[in-house]
Amino acid sequence: MVSISSSIFVYICVLLSVAFFTLLERKGLSYMQVRKGPNKVGVMGLPQPLADGIKLLIKEVVSPVVSNYSVFVFAPILSLSLALALWQLYPSLYSSTYFKWGFLFFMCISSLNVYGTLMAGWASNSKYALLGSLRAVAQTISYEVSMALIFLLPLLMGETFNLFEVLEAQGKLVFSLLLLPVSLMWFVTCLAETNRAPFDFAEGESELVSGFNIEYGSVGFVLIFLSEYANILFMGMLSSVLFLGGGLLWYFESNSLLVMSVLMFSYAFIWARASFPRYRYDLLMSLTWKVYLPISLSVMLVLVPLLLLFGA
């Protein structure tokens, strides 16, 4: 019961974080574009995410007549469930779960995420939704290959697959200083993996009419929206653990340094969206197969022998 209660508490915190992260994104984008963001609801627009959520939840649930209804309904539920399951890896002092093989758990869950997107696009029976889902799946699967190799580098340096131990292994020297080019590659990979601008081809409005979620509204859209932003926050947390961790961060009493680091990475997602135009799809796919994959493999082939040589 304690484990279940702790997990439910974590999920509630994640959903609240997603709600107010959307407010941060809208405020951040507005000031970067020299305009005002949400400022009418309540004090400084702070209740705006709650108002938006209530509005979406009370809207009528509509599904296409020709859709595969059971799959159409199940796809958003699957996406949100997988996004929340990843948060079991959060390295908190009060965590109820301890994953010795956290890397494998992350790769298994993240690999399943594409099924929610593919099912949503296929079950809508819309060519726009299907095209958007196929683009998103191809993009996600391609970047998972280089992401897994980059993920392995800090784990090899820490000699563990456990995120708790990766934090402790860094001590006072963070891995981002030792793996600076790789950490930048990791950030770009996170952008592509979460379908965020400038790599948001799954939602390219000018050519795909919002992508795989075009037929979703009300509760279905809310679940897809929550899963997308929960993944963004999780990738920010994972980036903080892998490249900005450290013994001081882990032993800090309230984990507030880790929270600030996650917020910094998450805000970088917003900054990238405001700063760069949308990339071209063929260039994005060439980037991972012709640049990131060879570099990550080369670093892996160099790092592993060095660790075996000097670690022994």
Side-chain angles (χ1 to χ4, degrees):
M1 290 298 294
V2 174
S3 177
I4 295 175
S5 301
S6 177
S7 298
I8 292 175
F9 178 74
V10 169
Y11 297 156
I12 292 174
C13 290
V14 170
L15 295 178
L16 287 175
S17 300
V18 166
F20 286 98
F21 180 70
T22 61
L23 179 64
L24 174 65
E25 180 178 32
R26 294 173 68 180
K27 282 285 190 180
L29 289 175
S30 65
Y31 282 102
M32 290 176 188
Q33 297 166 356
V34 196
R35 59 181 176 83
K36 289 290 184 181
N39 61 351
K40 300 299 183 184
V41 178
V43 180
M44 298 185 297
L46 290 178
Q48 184 69 53
L50 303 178
D52 292 340
I54 293 172
K55 182 203 73 171
L56 284 169
L57 290 174
I58 63 177
K59 290 174 72 71
E60 181 183 2
V61 179
V62 178
S63 61
V65 177
V66 294
S67 67
N68 299 292
Y69 185 75
S70 57
V71 182
F72 183 83
V73 172
F74 178 69
I77 299 174
L78 176 64
S79 297
L80 182 60
S81 300
L82 294 174
L84 292 178
L86 284 173
W87 279 94
Q88 293 293 330
L89 293 174
Y90 179 68
S92 171
L93 292 169
Y94 308 102
S95 178
S96 61
T97 54
Y98 181 85
F99 282 93
K100 184 177 180 181
W101 305 97
F103 166 74
L104 297 180
F105 179 79
F106 167 74
M107 292 307 302
C108 290
I109 298 297
S110 62
S111 299
L112 291 174
N113 275 329
V114 297
Y115 289 101
T117 303
L118 185 61
M119 289 166 62
W122 174 79
S124 298
N125 269 338
S126 166
K127 56 186 177 183
Y128 300 109
L130 181 59
L131 182 59
S133 66
L134 292 176
R135 279 192 170 193
V137 169
Q139 173 181 328
T140 303
I141 291 176
S142 298
Y143 272 84
E144 273 183 4
V145 179
S146 56
M147 182 185 69
L149 292 173
I150 297 173
F151 195 172
L152 280 172
L153 294 175
L155 297 181
L156 286 172
M157 295 183 68
E159 297 181 351
T160 178
F161 279 176
N162 191 328
L163 298 183
F164 289 81
E165 297 173 1
V166 170
L167 275 173
E168 294 177 339
Q170 293 183 59
K172 297 181 180 180
L173 181 63
V174 295
F175 287 161
S176 59
L177 297 178
L178 302 174
L179 301 169
L180 182 59
V182 174
S183 60
L184 295 176
M185 288 168 53
W186 169 265
F187 178 69
V188 175
T189 302
C190 289
L191 289 175
E193 181 73 13
T194 53
N195 295 319
R196 288 287 296 180
F199 308 129
D200 55 338
F201 300 103
E203 300 173 1
E205 296 178 2
S206 61
E207 49 194 11
L208 295 178
V209 199
S210 187
F212 68 93
N213 59 359
I214 181 62
E215 301 294 346
Y216 283 93
S218 186
V219 179
F221 177 79
V222 170
L223 296 181
I224 293 175
F225 189 80
L226 289 174
S227 63
E228 178 182 340
Y229 277 80
N231 283 326
I232 292 171
L233 292 176
F234 178 80
M235 296 305 290
M237 184 275 294
L238 193 60
S239 303
S240 303
V241 171
L242 295 178
F243 296 102
L244 287 181
L248 293 177
L249 202 93
W250 168 241
Y251 288 114
F252 201 82
E253 184 178 357
S254 63
N255 274 4
S256 58
L257 287 178
L258 179 58
V259 173
M260 292 300 295
S261 178
V262 173
L263 186 61
M264 182 189 71
F265 266 106
S266 301
Y267 190 76
F269 280 76
I270 302 173
W271 198 352
R273 177 177 178 178
S275 302
F276 299 103
R278 184 174 290 130
Y279 212 48
R280 222 172 67 193
Y281 188 75
D282 61 317
L283 295 179
L284 175 73
M285 301 301 281
S286 298
L287 181 66
T288 182
W289 291 114
K290 298 180 180 179
V291 180
Y292 283 4
L293 183 59
I295 291 178
S296 57
L297 274 174
S298 302
V299 174
M300 179 74 68
L301 293 175
V302 172
L303 181 63
V304 173
L306 288 177
L307 287 175
L308 293 176
L309 179 63
F310 294 104

